[in-house]
């Protein structure tokens, strides 16, 4: 029964967040929202323990579609980085700011870039593309993420500085246009570089938060050196080019790990 503690632990964490936010914000939405996400993730971990091949994809679809369709399109919450800046500037600690705090800023201290592997609606689509593990060496294009990060900040700040009216409506359209642009660029890059996750590696502005925070992540894939036969399969199947056989925090591309478990599933010696 010990192995089932992981999904239970995850469910308890999310329930704790759900109940805390429900009571402190006096808004039952948080109870449903975080309970749903916690249940979806716990289901995924359970299915993974049961060795179900598509466990991660199921969570990705359950959480990603919920956030994109329900929170984004129906509730008009801009959950992109522009929405985070918007709510930060207005001083409102609501859905987008809470979402960023939990999933992308402080959460990664605990569960690394689990967001990228199990919840992001951009990667949810990109992961359907044919290039699951990169066939070419990684490009030195990671600096682009700082440009997209700065552009998003300047865009929202200038709306405030120019005292533009009805910014909330602009944020809704920015969410639609931003997502379409992400999908278009992400799909084009995936085909150009033969790498589904090229967008994540070079363009995504959110990685400016995710990478440094996930460096300290409690949850990490570790290698049992006594079992490892250095076959290199884990590195070949890794979509993010992580050197998972190195247990140090400075492992190559360590802050890129999205906890997708492909390396674990493919290791012939159960060393991971
Ligand atoms: S890097 Fe960005 S686009 Fe890729 S999964 Fe993470 S948040 Fe989504
Ligand atoms: S796949 Fe397993 S055995 Fe092979 S190098 Fe990686 S950890 Fe070692
Ligand atoms: S294959 Fe392993 S090292 Fe690579 S991203 Fe997935 S979990 Fe991390």
């Amino acid at each position: 029964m010990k192995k089932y503690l992981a999904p239970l632990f995850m469910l308890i964490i999310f329930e704790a967040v759900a109940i805390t936010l429900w009571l402190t914000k006096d808004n039952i939405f948080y109870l449903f929202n975080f309970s749903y996400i916690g249940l979806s993730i716990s289901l995924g971990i359970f299915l993974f323990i049961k060795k179900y091949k598509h466990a991660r994809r199921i969570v990705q679809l359950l959480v990603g579609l919920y956030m994109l369709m329900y929170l984004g399109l129906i509730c008009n919450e801009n959950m992109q980085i522009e929405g985070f800046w918007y709510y930060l500037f207005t001083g409102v600690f609501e859905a987008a700011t809470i979402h960023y705090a939990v999933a992308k800023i402080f959460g990664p201290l605990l569960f690394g870039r689990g967001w990228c592997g199990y919840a992001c609606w951009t990667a949810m689509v990109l992961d359907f593309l044919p290039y699951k593990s990169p066939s070419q060496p990684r490009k030195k294009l990671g600096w682009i993420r700082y440009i997209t990060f700065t552009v998003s900040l300047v865009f929202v700040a200038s709306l405030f500085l120019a005292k533009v009216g009805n910014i909330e409506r602009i944020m809704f359209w920015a969410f639609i246009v931003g997502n379409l642009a992400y999908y278009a660029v992400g799909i084009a890059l995936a085909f150009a570089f033969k790498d589904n996750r090229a967008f994540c590696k070079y363009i995504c502005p959110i990685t400016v938060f995710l990478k440094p925070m996930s460096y300290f992540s409690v949850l990490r894939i570790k290698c049992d050196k006594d079992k490892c036969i250095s076959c290199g399969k884990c590195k070949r199947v890794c979509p993010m080019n992580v050197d998972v056989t190195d247990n140090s925090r400075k492992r190559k591309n360590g802050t890129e790990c999205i906890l997708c478990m492909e390396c674990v599933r493919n290791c012939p010696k159960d060393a991971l």
Side-chain angles (χ1 to χ4, degrees), residues 248-262:
S248 81
R249 291 208 177 258
K250 290 189 177 149
R251 63 168 59 143
K252 193 171 174 205
N253 299 319
T255 57
E256 299 280 276
C257 178
I258 55 169
L259 297 174
C260 66
M261 301 292 173
E262 280 307 307

Side-chain angles (χ1 to χ4, degrees), residues 221 234 237-240 242 244 256-263:
I221 310 284
C234 50
V237 297
C238 177
M240 302 302 284
V242 180
V244 75
E256 299 280 276
C257 178
I258 55 169
L259 297 174
C260 66
M261 301 292 173
E262 280 307 307
C263 52

Side-chain angles (χ1 to χ4, degrees), residues 4-117:
Y4 296 113
L5 285 177
L8 192 65
F9 177 65
M10 198 49 87
L11 191 60
I12 290 169
I13 290 180
F14 272 88
E15 275 310 309
V17 173
I19 294 168
T20 308
L21 286 171
W22 168 37
L23 296 177
T24 51
K25 305 285 297 175
D26 194 20
N27 187 345
I28 201 154
F29 160 78
Y30 292 108
L31 181 67
F32 292 126
N33 181 66
F34 285 97
S35 298
Y36 172 80
I37 295 171
L39 271 172
S40 304
I41 293 173
S42 304
L43 172 71
I45 301 173
F46 175 78
L47 292 175
F48 179 79
I49 293 168
K50 290 281 182 196
K51 299 197 186 307
Y52 179 58
K53 199 176 160 207
H54 302 294
R56 183 180 73 88
R57 302 289 284 131
I58 286 182
V59 185
Q60 219 177 12
L61 288 166
L62 282 172
V63 181
L65 280 176
Y66 163 72
M67 298 196 110
L68 178 65
M69 307 306 287
Y70 179 69
L71 296 184
L73 298 181
I74 297 174
C75 299
N76 292 1
E77 280 280 349
N78 187 329
M79 310 290 279
Q80 299 275 78
I81 195 161
E82 292 77 24
F84 170 66
W85 299 131
Y86 168 69
Y87 286 108
L88 203 66
F89 292 155
T90 48
V92 180
F93 191 62
E94 282 300 337
T97 26
I98 291 172
H99 161 68
Y100 267 75
V102 173
K104 294 163 179 173
I105 300 177
F106 300 112
L109 293 171
L110 179 65
F111 47 75
R113 285 178 61 176
W115 162 264
C116 298

Side-chain angles (χ1 to χ4, degrees), residues 194-214:
K194 299 198 178 351
D195 179 358
N196 284 0
R197 291 282 183 152
F199 180 86
C200 303
K201 290 172 189 172
Y202 313 125
I203 312 284
C204 179
I206 301 159
T207 55
V208 174
F209 293 130
L210 288 166
K211 278 170 74 68
M213 299 310 259
S214 66

Side-chain angles (χ1 to χ4, degrees), residues 223 228-234 245 267-269 271-272:
C223 177
C228 177
I229 52 165
S230 304
C231 68
K233 194 158 187 204
C234 50
T245 53
C267 175
K269 292 288 169 188
L272 298 169

Side-chain angles (χ1 to χ4, degrees), residues 100-246:
Y100 267 75
V102 173
K104 294 163 179 173
I105 300 177
F106 300 112
L109 293 171
L110 179 65
F111 47 75
R113 285 178 61 176
W115 162 264
C116 298
Y118 296 82
C120 174
W121 56 86
T122 306
M124 171 186 83
V125 170
L126 298 179
D127 279 354
F128 277 112
L129 300 176
Y131 309 109
K132 301 208 183 308
S133 10
S135 52
Q136 300 172 4
R138 207 180 165 95
K139 317 259 180 290
K140 289 196 183 338
L141 295 174
W143 50 270
I144 301 176
R145 71 168 65 92
Y146 300 103
I147 295 180
T148 49
F149 182 87
T150 310
V151 167
S152 71
L153 178 58
V154 170
F155 167 64
V156 181
S158 54
L159 291 177
F160 278 89
L161 288 174
K163 296 191 173 35
V164 174
N166 209 358
I167 299 184
E168 201 150 346
R169 200 68 203 144
I170 294 175
M171 280 296 121
F172 173 70
W173 285 105
F175 179 74
I176 308 245
V177 174
N179 270 301
L180 290 175
Y182 277 21
Y183 285 133
V185 174
I187 292 169
L189 275 185
F191 280 98
F193 293 159
K194 299 198 178 351
D195 179 358
N196 284 0
R197 291 282 183 152
F199 180 86
C200 303
K201 290 172 189 172
Y202 313 125
I203 312 284
C204 179
I206 301 159
T207 55
V208 174
F209 293 130
L210 288 166
K211 278 170 74 68
M213 299 310 259
S214 66
Y215 180 85
F216 302 99
S217 173
V218 175
L219 210 65
R220 301 174 72 229
I221 310 284
K222 286 208 183 141
C223 177
D224 183 339
K225 296 285 185 187
D226 293 334
K227 289 185 183 169
C228 177
I229 52 165
S230 304
C231 68
K233 194 158 187 204
C234 50
K235 288 180 219 166
R236 285 198 294 280
V237 297
C238 177
M240 302 302 284
N241 316 95
V242 180
D243 179 3
V244 75
T245 53
D246 175 0

